[in-house]
Amino acid sequence: MQYTAEIIKPRWQTFASYFLLSFICLMLLGTIAYWWILDIRFGATQIALYLLLSAGSAMGVTLGAKRIKVVIGEGSDVMEQAVVNALIVNGQRLKQQVNKNTLLESQHVFNKLFWNWFGTELTSVNYTDGSVVVEGPQRVIENLKSSLKRTTS
């Protein structure tokens, strides 16, 4: 079984979504603190600090949600089904299946609650031109590669 793996560039949309979410939360907490403790100053430096904190946390989360694309060269319907079954055994759940495209998500409540914001934890399996293309989070793809090595060797 031959496969090639490549790291997918982080999406700008994920960064912007996390940035806005963290900035709104920080502004809300800062406003509540300002109303309760009237001694603190709420000005341009406070907003600049919120912008820097939001950018840093959004950058960390976006880069931490690394996605990997694996192309399995000797693809067939049997191999596609083996890949989907290996993902299901490793804790994924079938979310959507249309023709040769399958979308899976985590079964674990913790993963769905804390890691799957803005679709970063979804795994897709596509069968095209004699190859199976799997795209998903790094930990899911690493588990898939090790389970496929065990089954094929």
Side-chain angles (χ1 to χ4, degrees):
M1 175 182 73
Q2 291 182 335
Y3 63 87
T4 58
E6 64 184 51
I7 297 173
I8 299 173
K9 291 182 183 178
R11 295 185 311 177
W12 169 253
Q13 185 179 24
T14 304
F15 173 79
S17 302
Y18 278 114
F19 177 79
L20 284 175
L21 179 70
S22 63
F23 183 72
I24 289 170
C25 289
L26 285 172
M27 285 295 289
L28 184 65
L29 288 173
T31 304
I32 291 171
Y34 177 73
W35 284 338
W36 282 353
I37 308 167
L38 297 177
D39 293 341
I40 63 171
R41 295 185 179 214
F42 193 74
T45 57
Q46 200 86 13
I47 293 174
L49 180 66
Y50 292 163
L51 286 172
L52 285 174
L53 284 172
S54 298
S57 64
M59 180 87 59
V61 171
T62 303
L63 293 176
K66 189 186 308 184
R67 296 181 60 80
I68 295 180
K69 178 181 177 181
V70 174
V71 179
I72 301 171
E74 46 191 65
S76 64
D77 289 334
V78 175
M79 180 55 110
E80 180 189 13
Q81 196 58 37
V83 167
V84 171
N85 288 339
L87 286 170
I88 289 173
V89 166
N90 286 330
Q92 296 286 305
R93 178 176 66 91
L94 191 65
K95 183 175 182 179
Q96 181 181 7
Q97 187 167 15
V98 179
N99 296 333
K100 298 288 184 183
N101 299 329
T102 306
L103 191 64
L104 298 109
E105 67 180 357
S106 179
Q107 289 180 1
H108 305 290
V109 175
F110 182 83
N111 293 351
K112 287 194 285 189
L113 183 63
F114 292 111
W115 290 350
N116 196 21
W117 291 20
F118 310 115
T120 56
E121 281 292 307
L122 296 176
T123 305
S124 66
V125 180
N126 302 320
Y127 175 67
T128 56
D129 298 332
S131 63
V132 178
V133 180
V134 184
E135 181 180 319
Q138 180 179 9
R139 62 180 174 73
V140 173
I141 298 300
E142 293 299 325
N143 287 340
L144 172 69
K145 289 193 312 190
S146 65
S147 66
L148 286 177
K149 282 181 185 177
R150 276 190 309 246
T151 58
T152 56
S153 53

